[in-house]
Amino acid sequence: MTSQSNRLRDGGLIDRAKTVRFSFDGETLTGYQGDTLASALLANGKKLVGRSFKYHRPRGILTAGSEEPNALVELRTGARREPNTRATTIELYDGLEAASQNRWPSLKFDVMAVNQLFAPIFGAGFYYKTFMWPASFWEKVYEPAIRRAAGLGRAASAPDPDHYDKAHAFCDVLVIGSGPAGLATALEAARAGARVILAEEDFRLGGRLLAERYEIDGKPALDWVRAAEEELASLDCRILRRTTVFGVYDGGTYAAIERVNDHVKLPPAHEPRQRLWKIVARQAVVAAGAIERPIVFGDNDRPGIMLAGAVRTYVNRYGVTPGRRAVVFTDNDDAFQTAVDLADHGVEVVAMVDARAMPSVKAKEIAAKAKAPYFANSVVQRVRGRQAVKSVDIAAPNGEVHRIDCDLLAMSGGWNPTLHLTTHLNGKPVWNADLSALVPGALPPGMSVAGASAGQFGLAACLASGRLAGTEAAKACGFKPKRHKAPKAADESTEASPVWQVETSRGKAFVDFQNDVTISDIKLAAREGFRVPEHLKRYTTLGMATDQGKTGNLNGAAVLANVTGRYVGAVGTTTFRPPFTPVAISALAGHHRGPDFRPARLAPSHKWAEEQGAVFVETGPWLRALYYPRAGESPQDSVNREVANVRTQVGVCDVSTLGKIEVQGTDAGVFLDRVYANTFSTLPVGKARYGLMLREDGFVMDDGTTARLAEDRYFMTTTTANAVKVMQHLEFCQQVLWPELDVQLVSVTEQWAQYAVAGPRARDVLQRLVDPGHDISNEAFPYLACGEINVCGGVPARLYRLSFSGELAYEIGVPARYGDALIRAIMMEGAAFGIQPYGTEALGVLRIEKGHPAGGELNGQTTAHDLGFGKLLSAKKDFIGRFMAARPVLADANREKFVGLRPLDREARIRAGAHLVPKDAEATAKNDQGYVTSIAYSPSLGHWLALGMLARGPERHGEVVRAVDPLRGEEVLAEVVPPCFVDPEGERLRV
Amino acid sequence: MSRPLASVSGLAGLTVPGSYGAKVGELGVTIAERTGLGIATVAACKGKSEALKAAARKAYGVELPERSIVASGRDILFIGTGPGQWLAVSEKYANEELARELAGRLQGLASVADQSGGRTVIRISGPRARDVLAKGLPIDLDPRVFPSNGAATSTISLMGVQLWQADDTPAYELAIFRSLSGSFWRWLAASAAEFGYEVKPG
């Protein structure tokens, strides 16, 4: 165990009484409560943290925030292993395990670092240009090889064992960021009485105040932060720490991810690891601060080179110095404060290098205070040291080069407002020449910006703009804010004039660290014509890494501007899109994983069917019993037995999943006449009828049976799959097309448990269930009769004599709460008659044997005439689809029409989806005359049969065609026959 | 002959009374199924709205609401679910009885359909009830926005739900589709666990 060699003697917002043990690449280290993984690694003198994406360059820690491009590690192990997490945002916890990534065999000695030697050929567009030929090699050879060489971390291979939550929140004012501007905003809004949500990415409130040594009201700024936090807690303000607002959506909707338990080894029992918030806010204030820019110079990616603001964060917030001999290289005044903060902690500042042509008075003052040599109008033009900075060469304006030994280079190219959220709804940032930065442009409705996000860089300016934003947001929500005393603070000097890049430097000069994009890549892209940032991005991958180029994009624009002779503002930047920082897929899924991927609707007999060992299938949102296998039976055996039992004895099937709609009102009959192609107003009470519904365009929409229970009351059924669609269609007709009709619609799908009892013994079974006094004989209750009855001693029920199987059959419905008991009762009473349950597979076989069209045939491309239902199209009334169904193309005699197909070789199996071509014609698209829609093995006939759509089909009964399945390479000769294979006269269902 | 048929809840086997989830501090949520309720949809016939309202006033002493709120009548709650549409809920007129009662009284004025078997009604109450519901319900239940007699037709975790506030404990009652009882219960148990919850007998 190494000691924390780089921990400062005092200071920092860490709890030195609480030592935290963690491991990095297997080495056990310690840090303190309040550390991040990055600060703890630095405290232990660990500078080398990872290898870069393409060149496998040694990389250290560049930043202290979520913009980190370099220090990406694998966090945790096993099923909880998470790749590409930023060490700068990982809160240290006892037992934390992290590993560097993208290196083999070790971080210090990485074989793939050889890529650097080939760097000249790995330029922008390299992959596209090199691996062009042969094309077939791309998927099999090139891509896997490239992915191995140029990957980042490894995702866990086992399912995530943790729970992830989703939640909705509502507020008047959402404040994004809790730095000085955000806190001031939240205070003003909450004081005015607004409901406030304050979201802070960090685990502590304060933002930049945590990293600087500012004063507010003459006291340390952190006192003000503490007071603000207390006051907010007493007001209507929900403070979400560890929460990143990562996306902005329409209607004032914001997405945020709360890392509820990422800062502990394991989430406590019953708690989620992360929570995805959907926040609806009337007003939102983006006070997300600013991100510091690196300077682009040779080997600017060496471990030990860090952003100046980050150095201050490590020194002031974490009590850690990233080095012992520091050089500060910058083009702005702000960064020189780093020298003071380091010097005050006894760290030697060996040079202050100011790239600006004009020396800064402020900088000179600071140099004197920090006792550091000041190099005006100079640049760092060379860095020595591969795995850690050893020295730098400073080029002075007179041509002299000073080699200075150092182990820390703090750099700063100025600050960019963190404006990403302002662009998610397509807002374009605008160039601010005074700040040399892009600032938010037009904002989405309800959003404002404050503090550094708005380009207000000084502390006093941040506080003032936050106060204003908070007041205005509260006013916009209808509150009347009172005036409160303003906190007093000074504005530090933020004078800057960016140099962007050092033209004279040696070595690879990185613009985008995470994707290894260098100046030369951008120059190459510009030479090849990619001169717009969006094109440059795609060609070089600049800004396409998981950090979305937070530190690199504007520098890239500056390089492009330089090459193409424009100014940076004219080049601009690419559009930022959600998420602001990476979001785990698990968090987006939340509860919807595994069996809860989506809700499952269970039929009333589900529990009973489970007890019977049924195999279930998803049909739309429902789980239905597919078949009920007995011991030793194959699925086919089971289905064959179930079908045969219906044909010879009696079976029962849960048909509760069919859509059921009550159509009531004095105009119910008229309404049905208009939505169905056939007539229902003439249907007598106590009768049911098959109904065919067309779409407006004349094609078949759905079918089902509708029963008339009373003069003004019909009970409609739809197919399971189309239940919702049909209900929507009917509601549209009722509310929009014919609001004058007295008709009321309500879905009662859930209310009725409905069972089909089918087979020659069906009546025998029913008679034992129906209460005395109800005559269900063939005479009293013939085919297509329906009625309200009582069963099993007074339970209200509805009985329909309907048959999908072609056998004597009934459907019986009871309120769903009796569904479980009724299926058990049916089975018990039916035992004497050989009853067996049958599933949807048998149901399908039975209807194919009978030639009833279903899902495969009602496929949205077939008309009533195609399906042989032409006679159902009423000529006496108007109905939806009537006019369009008469279009010549739909009346074309050559259309594909519904037929049955019987294989000539009775052992052969026709395949669903096979194409039908004439017997002697070639199997080409030109000769394609139709297709197979449904197939089944018919236990009744002892061979496979099929239904299909065939050009002029009904005229071709008896002809032999080829059913060609190019997918499986099979073909079968089949005879075209009428679609009904069993009992074509329909005698059995009328007995 | 199989009689009588047993009435089985959509939550049968799932709602086992007891304490579940985190056991820290105050109990967050209490969950109970409300069984045996009469539930029916009521839809005004064309041009009969005023007559229907008068009939409801006379029969149940209730003003049928035109908004998404609950109106308590004698022995029946009426929840506005759309223009001229209500969900009626009753303890007194249990199960199928409510639809019969309403159809009789409102004959010619409204179409009534029994839904008592097709809904599972769950009561969620306690200090964290709103936090639990916020995990699925995209509706603001804050008292400043949602009145104490408020009601909503919405979705929770991709499942349709009708919800109304029962009291200011706060307690909410949710009617969900019976077939989704199991999926809903898994969402509820997962969402309430971090606050600690107690399942009470229905």
Side-chain angles (χ1 to χ4, degrees):
Chain A
M1 193 185 297
T2 58
S3 64
Q4 297 183 36
S5 57
N6 280 32
R7 185 74 70 178
L8 296 168
R9 260 198 319 281
D10 46 32
L13 303 172
I14 45 169
D15 188 345
R16 290 173 192 256
K18 289 189 182 141
T19 300
V20 175
R21 291 163 62 95
F22 70 102
S23 81
F24 182 68
D25 279 347
E27 184 183 2
T28 302
L29 301 165
T30 61
Y32 293 123
Q33 182 104 12
D35 264 326
T36 60
L37 176 59
S39 69
L41 286 170
L42 289 169
N44 286 284
K46 301 287 175 194
K47 288 188 173 167
L48 175 61
V49 175
R51 290 273 175 172
S52 76
F53 177 67
K54 191 156 78 169
Y55 301 125
H56 289 243
R57 304 248 307 186
R59 289 283 166 82
I61 295 163
L62 181 70
T63 75
S66 62
E67 69 272 30
E68 177 63 32
N70 284 341
L72 307 181
V73 300
E74 282 178 359
L75 183 63
R76 301 188 175 88
T77 55
R80 291 188 169 86
R81 187 174 67 208
E82 193 183 341
N84 308 333
T85 54
R86 289 143 293 160
T88 49
T89 62
I90 299 165
E91 263 176 271
L92 202 66
Y93 57 82
D94 217 35
L96 179 149
E97 291 175 89
S100 58
Q101 53 190 36
N102 208 26
R103 83 289 186 270
W104 185 84
S106 76
L107 183 55
K108 286 204 168 129
F109 178 75
D110 172 34
V111 167
M112 290 306 288
V114 72
N115 275 6
Q116 293 172 67
L117 301 178
F118 299 105
I121 59 164
F122 278 165
F126 162 72
Y127 299 136
Y128 308 126
K129 291 171 189 165
T130 312
F131 298 112
M132 299 260 293
W133 184 90
S136 63
F137 267 40
W138 178 250
E139 253 178 61
K140 287 186 183 132
V141 182
Y142 298 141
E143 192 179 327
I146 292 167
R147 285 196 185 281
R148 263 199 305 280
L152 282 174
R154 302 162 301 153
S157 49
D160 191 330
D162 294 323
H163 176 67
Y164 294 77
D165 234 10
K166 290 187 189 184
H168 300 85
F170 302 84
C171 62
D172 294 315
V173 182
L174 169 65
V175 183
I176 301 160
S178 75
L183 284 175
T185 306
L187 280 172
E188 289 305 320
R191 283 170 181 167
R195 200 158 41 133
V196 176
I197 292 177
L198 174 61
E200 170 53 57
E201 185 177 45
D202 206 322
F203 54 94
R204 273 188 93 124
L205 302 191
R208 200 62 210 158
L209 296 177
L210 300 171
E212 307 284 4
R213 298 189 292 168
Y214 295 150
E215 290 194 339
I216 295 176
D217 291 333
K219 286 181 285 187
L222 292 178
D223 290 357
W224 179 80
V225 172
R226 206 167 299 120
E229 204 168 340
E230 277 168 21
E231 186 178 349
L232 287 173
S234 72
L235 297 167
D236 191 352
C237 178
R238 173 184 230 156
I239 299 175
L240 295 173
R241 290 177 186 79
R242 304 183 175 99
T243 302
T244 305
V245 176
F246 66 78
V248 182
Y249 304 90
D250 288 333
T253 305
Y254 299 81
I257 186 78
E258 181 185 5
R259 290 168 290 276
V260 185
N261 281 306
D262 273 1
H263 61 295
V264 291
K265 193 164 166 52
L266 290 177
H270 310 298
E271 283 193 26
R273 174 175 291 284
Q274 299 182 350
R275 179 173 293 148
L276 179 70
W277 286 97
K278 180 181 158 191
I279 302 172
V280 179
R282 297 168 72 188
Q283 295 287 313
V285 179
V286 177
I291 293 172
E292 199 166 21
R293 296 191 291 254
I295 296 176
V296 183
F297 57 95
D299 294 328
N300 61 344
D301 64 328
R302 293 305 188 199
I305 302 180
M306 188 179 281
L307 289 170
V311 172
R312 296 204 294 284
T313 305
Y314 289 113
V315 170
N316 295 325
R317 177 173 176 178
Y318 299 107
V320 169
T321 180
R324 291 291 168 192
R325 282 172 62 83
V327 170
V328 180
F329 175 32
T330 180
D331 56 15
N332 60 75
D333 281 357
D334 176 68
F336 285 125
Q337 182 62 35
T338 315
V340 181
D341 290 359
L342 284 167
D344 283 358
H345 281 97
V347 178
E348 201 182 347
V349 181
V350 291
M352 284 177 40
V353 184
D354 193 336
R356 289 171 290 187
M358 295 293 291
S360 150
V361 178
K362 176 83 183 165
K364 278 183 176 168
E365 265 173 38
I366 288 175
K369 212 166 140 190
K371 298 189 180 61
Y374 177 61
F375 294 85
N377 195 12
S378 301
V379 293
V380 171
Q381 71 167 24
R382 185 158 186 193
V383 177
R384 287 195 171 73
R386 293 182 61 80
Q387 300 202 342
V389 176
K390 291 199 174 90
S391 69
V392 296
D393 288 356
I394 298 168
N398 59 8
E400 281 179 35
V401 174
H402 305 267
R403 177 170 302 180
I404 293 189
D405 291 345
C406 62
D407 62 355
L408 170 65
L409 176 57
M411 65 170 163
S412 172
W415 294 79
N416 287 332
T418 307
L419 50 71
H420 305 68
L421 295 178
T422 69
T423 69
H424 283 181
L425 293 176
N426 243 358
K428 294 271 177 271
V430 294
W431 180 250
N432 181 315
D434 293 340
L435 297 174
S436 298
L438 290 165
V439 295
L443 298 170
M447 181 190 280
S448 57
V449 281
S453 280
Q456 304 286 338
F457 284 146
L459 175 56
C462 278
L463 290 167
S465 80
R467 281 165 48 79
L468 181 66
T471 308
E472 292 301 315
K475 277 188 196 162
C477 295
F479 297 94
K480 296 190 174 62
K482 295 197 188 92
R483 289 182 67 85
H484 298 94
K485 196 165 114 350
K488 285 196 185 65
D491 270 333
E492 64 282 6
S493 170
T494 52
E495 153 55 36
S497 56
V499 296
W500 306 110
Q501 64 187 89
V502 178
E503 274 289 347
T504 57
S505 69
R506 296 177 50 171
K508 294 183 90 61
F510 286 89
V511 177
D512 180 326
F513 292 90
Q514 201 182 340
N515 265 355
D516 275 349
V517 180
T518 64
I519 285 193
S520 30
D521 293 323
I522 296 174
K523 287 181 174 169
L524 173 68
R527 280 201 302 279
E528 298 191 354
F530 300 94
R531 299 159 70 94
V532 179
E534 296 286 358
H535 294 165
L536 178 73
K537 170 180 172 177
R538 272 88 189 162
Y539 196 60
T540 63
T541 73
L542 172 74
M544 285 173 74
T546 61
D547 65 346
Q548 284 197 36
K550 289 188 178 65
T551 52
N553 276 2
L554 199 64
N555 282 343
V559 172
L560 183 62
N562 189 29
V563 182
T564 56
R566 290 173 290 175
Y567 78 101
V568 190
V571 171
T573 186
T574 51
T575 309
F576 300 109
R577 294 192 176 83
F580 174 69
T581 48
V583 176
I585 298 286
S586 300
L588 298 174
H591 177 70
H592 301 288
R593 295 170 50 179
D596 289 308
F597 176 68
R598 62 173 186 176
R601 297 178 76 171
L602 305 185
S605 66
H606 188 85
K607 190 162 172 285
W608 171 84
E610 265 180 345
E611 292 165 16
Q612 308 309 308
V615 173
F616 294 93
V617 63
E618 287 183 19
T619 45
W622 293 91
L623 275 186
R624 298 185 73 178
L626 185 61
Y627 53 90
Y628 295 81
R630 291 179 173 174
E633 274 186 341
S634 70
Q636 187 69 58
D637 292 341
S638 179
V639 173
N640 290 350
R641 171 181 51 75
E642 292 167 30
V643 169
N645 196 59
V646 170
R647 295 262 180 253
T648 58
Q649 315 248 11
V650 59
V652 60
C653 179
D654 192 334
V655 293
S656 311
T657 61
L658 293 180
K660 309 183 204 77
I661 300 167
E662 290 235 352
V663 183
Q664 301 187 55
T666 50
D667 293 324
V670 177
F671 180 81
L672 291 175
D673 282 349
R674 295 184 189 179
V675 296
Y676 275 129
N678 48 332
T679 307
F680 277 83
S681 55
T682 55
L683 181 70
V685 172
K687 284 285 181 190
R689 180 173 285 170
Y690 175 82
L692 189 72
M693 216 176 268
L694 304 191
R695 296 192 309 229
E696 198 70 77
D697 65 4
F699 288 90
V700 172
M701 177 178 177
D702 197 54
D703 69 348
T705 53
T706 287
R708 191 168 200 173
L709 299 170
E711 240 353 90
D712 59 353
R713 187 177 194 121
Y714 291 80
F715 177 78
M716 173 190 284
T717 63
T718 74
T719 58
T720 301
N722 288 333
V724 173
K725 198 167 82 182
V726 169
M727 186 68 192
Q728 285 170 343
H729 173 67
L730 297 186
E731 286 187 328
F732 175 80
C733 295
Q734 175 209 27
Q735 294 171 18
V736 180
L737 300 184
W738 314 306
E740 70 283 2
L741 294 185
D742 176 32
V743 57
Q744 292 83 43
L745 304 166
V746 61
S747 166
V748 290
T749 303
E750 292 280 343
Q751 170 64 14
W752 296 96
Q754 199 150 314
Y755 298 104
V757 179
R761 311 303 299 271
R763 186 177 299 117
D764 298 323
V765 179
L766 261 299
Q767 253 156 358
R768 297 179 69 152
L769 294 163
V770 167
D771 282 354
H774 300 294
D775 184 358
I776 60 165
S777 67
N778 197 34
E779 295 68 37
F781 203 81
Y783 179 56
L784 293 177
C786 72
E788 296 182 274
I789 59 164
N790 293 299
V791 298
C792 300
V795 171
R798 291 175 180 178
L799 189 66
Y800 315 87
R801 188 149 167 211
L802 302 171
S803 178
F804 198 44
S805 57
E807 300 299 326
L808 166 67
Y810 299 82
E811 287 186 16
I812 179 164
V814 290
R817 65 197 185 97
Y818 293 116
D820 179 77
L822 182 61
I823 185 69
R824 294 173 198 275
I826 291 171
M827 287 303 293
M828 199 168 88
E829 300 301 340
F833 309 102
I835 197 166
Q836 292 176 18
Y838 62 102
T840 56
E841 191 63 26
L843 190 72
V845 174
L846 290 163
R847 73 98 190 164
I848 292 170
E849 287 182 341
K850 285 297 293 180
H852 294 312
E857 292 77 31
L858 305 179
N859 58 13
Q861 301 173 28
T862 50
T863 68
H865 286 292
D866 297 344
L867 295 171
F869 289 143
K871 62 182 185 303
L872 288 181
L873 303 177
S874 170
K876 295 180 187 156
K877 63 177 181 83
D878 196 11
F879 56 90
I880 287 181
R882 184 187 67 90
F883 185 78
M884 296 296 263
R887 285 180 286 170
V889 67
L890 297 195
D892 186 347
N894 290 317
R895 281 185 65 83
E896 291 164 0
K897 294 191 168 155
F898 192 39
V899 293
L901 295 160
R902 184 158 39 200
L904 292 191
D905 170 3
R906 293 290 194 260
E907 299 300 311
R909 173 180 184 173
I910 303 174
R911 294 290 189 170
H915 289 263
L916 302 176
V917 296
K919 184 166 172 255
D920 300 316
E922 239 188 303
T924 60
K926 190 165 78 53
N927 296 326
D928 193 357
Q929 296 191 332
Y931 52 98
V932 174
T933 51
S934 304
I935 56 137
Y937 177 79
S938 166
S940 314
L941 303 176
H943 60 78
W944 287 87
L945 44 82
L947 301 174
M949 304 300 295
L950 177 67
R952 310 167 67 89
E955 299 168 27
R956 296 166 68 177
H957 292 166
E959 184 183 330
V960 172
V961 295
R962 291 161 64 196
V964 182
D965 178 7
L967 206 61
R968 297 181 184 82
E970 294 177 11
E971 71 168 79
V972 175
L973 288 176
E975 184 190 350
V976 180
V977 294
C980 184
F981 295 88
V982 169
D983 184 27
E985 282 74 41
E987 286 165 358
R988 296 193 201 171
L989 49 80
R990 298 176 194 279
V991 293
Chain B
M1 189 158 186
S2 308
R3 67 167 49 128
L5 292 185
S7 174
V8 176
S9 155
L11 289 170
L14 294 172
T15 46
V16 180
S19 292
Y20 299 90
K23 299 205 170 39
V24 279
E26 186 188 23
L27 178 73
V29 189
T30 302
I31 301 170
E33 186 188 2
R34 297 206 60 199
T35 51
L37 292 178
I39 304 171
T41 46
V42 178
C45 293
K46 193 84 210 157
K48 299 286 168 62
S49 290
E50 290 315 310
L52 170 65
K53 282 183 185 171
R57 221 175 284 131
K58 183 157 170 275
Y60 308 111
V62 68
E63 198 58 44
L64 289 180
E66 288 288 10
R67 292 187 297 132
S68 195
I69 54 172
V70 188
S72 307
R74 274 191 295 277
D75 303 317
I76 305 178
L77 298 179
F78 290 90
I79 299 154
T81 55
Q85 289 177 24
W86 298 270
L87 184 73
V89 180
S90 175
E91 255 177 70
K92 182 185 170 191
Y93 302 106
N95 300 312
E96 295 81 31
E97 230 181 294
L98 178 64
R100 275 197 295 271
E101 155 73 19
L102 291 169
R105 299 259 191 163
L106 307 176
Q107 175 97 49
L109 304 175
S111 291
V112 176
D114 186 13
Q115 303 283 8
S116 58
R119 299 288 186 277
T120 296
V121 179
I122 299 174
R123 184 187 180 94
I124 301 174
S125 58
R128 305 309 293 269
R130 275 200 278 274
D131 295 306
V132 173
L133 290 171
K135 294 192 189 186
L137 188 73
I139 283 183
D140 192 358
L141 294 180
D142 188 281
R144 279 165 293 191
V145 178
F146 198 80
S148 57
N149 64 344
T153 300
S154 187
T155 61
I156 284 182
S157 196
L158 310 177
M159 293 172 269
V161 62
Q162 283 175 311
L163 164 145
W164 58 94
Q165 187 159 349
D167 65 39
D168 293 338
T169 324
Y172 301 90
E173 296 191 346
L174 286 78
I176 53 169
F177 293 120
R178 179 194 171 89
S179 68
L180 289 167
S181 301
S183 288
F184 187 84
W185 186 258
R186 280 197 300 281
W187 169 83
L188 182 58
S191 299
E194 71 167 307
F195 307 117
Y197 66 98
E198 188 182 356
V199 176
K200 289 228 164 128

